[in-house]
Amino acid sequence: MILPAWLSPRVLGAAAVLAGLALSHGWAYRAGGRAVQDKWDAAVVEADRLANERRAEDQRLAARAAAAHQEAAAAIQAELAKTQEALDAALNEPVPSCPRSAGDAVVPAAVWLRLQAIDDAGPASTARAKPAR
C-alpha cells in the first residue's frame, strides 16, 4: 500500500518537531513575559514605597515648620502685647516741660561754647555775634 506524502514518517516527525518547538517557544515567551511583568511590578512597588517615604518626610517637615511658625507667631503676639502696654503707659505719662534755659538742655559742646560766649559778651554784642560754622 502506498501512503500519501503527508503521512510519511519524515513529514509526521517534522510536524511533531514543529509542534514541540511551537509549544516550548510559546511557554518560554509567556514565562519571559511574566518575569518581565514581575520585575516591572516590583519596580513600581519600590517607586511607590519611596514616594510614600518622601511624602511622609515632607509632611513631617511641614508639621515642624508649622509648629515653629506657630511658636514664632505666639512670641510675636506676646511681644506685641508688651509693646502695646509700654506704648500706652508712655502715652499716659505727662510730657516733660521744655528746658527754660541753656543749662537745663543737653546740647552739643560747640553749641554750649557759643551760647556761653554770647552770655559772656552781654546783650550789646548779641547783634554782632557771627554764626558758628
Side-chain angles (χ1 to χ4, degrees), residues 5-126:
W6 60 272
L7 286 180
S8 74
R10 287 185 180 177
V11 172
L12 291 177
V17 168
L18 287 177
L21 286 174
L23 289 174
S24 69
H25 282 79
W27 175 83
Y29 179 78
R30 286 192 181 96
R34 280 192 302 270
V36 169
Q37 186 65 47
D38 290 343
K39 287 179 185 176
W40 180 268
D41 291 343
V44 168
V45 167
E46 181 65 17
D48 288 345
R49 184 187 64 78
L50 290 174
N52 288 337
E53 285 178 4
R54 280 188 224 114
R55 189 176 307 113
E57 181 63 24
D58 289 345
Q59 288 173 348
R60 282 191 295 273
L61 289 174
R64 268 189 255 147
H69 175 72
Q70 291 296 329
E71 289 173 7
I76 289 171
Q77 288 296 330
E79 189 64 31
L80 181 63
K82 289 178 187 175
T83 304
Q84 187 65 40
E85 289 172 6
L87 180 62
D88 289 341
L91 289 175
N92 289 333
E93 289 181 13
V95 177
S97 62
C98 294
R100 294 194 172 94
S101 67
D104 294 340
V106 177
V107 294
V111 173
W112 177 254
L113 291 175
R114 183 71 179 142
L115 289 173
Q116 287 291 38
I118 292 171
D119 285 345
D120 292 343
S125 65
T126 306

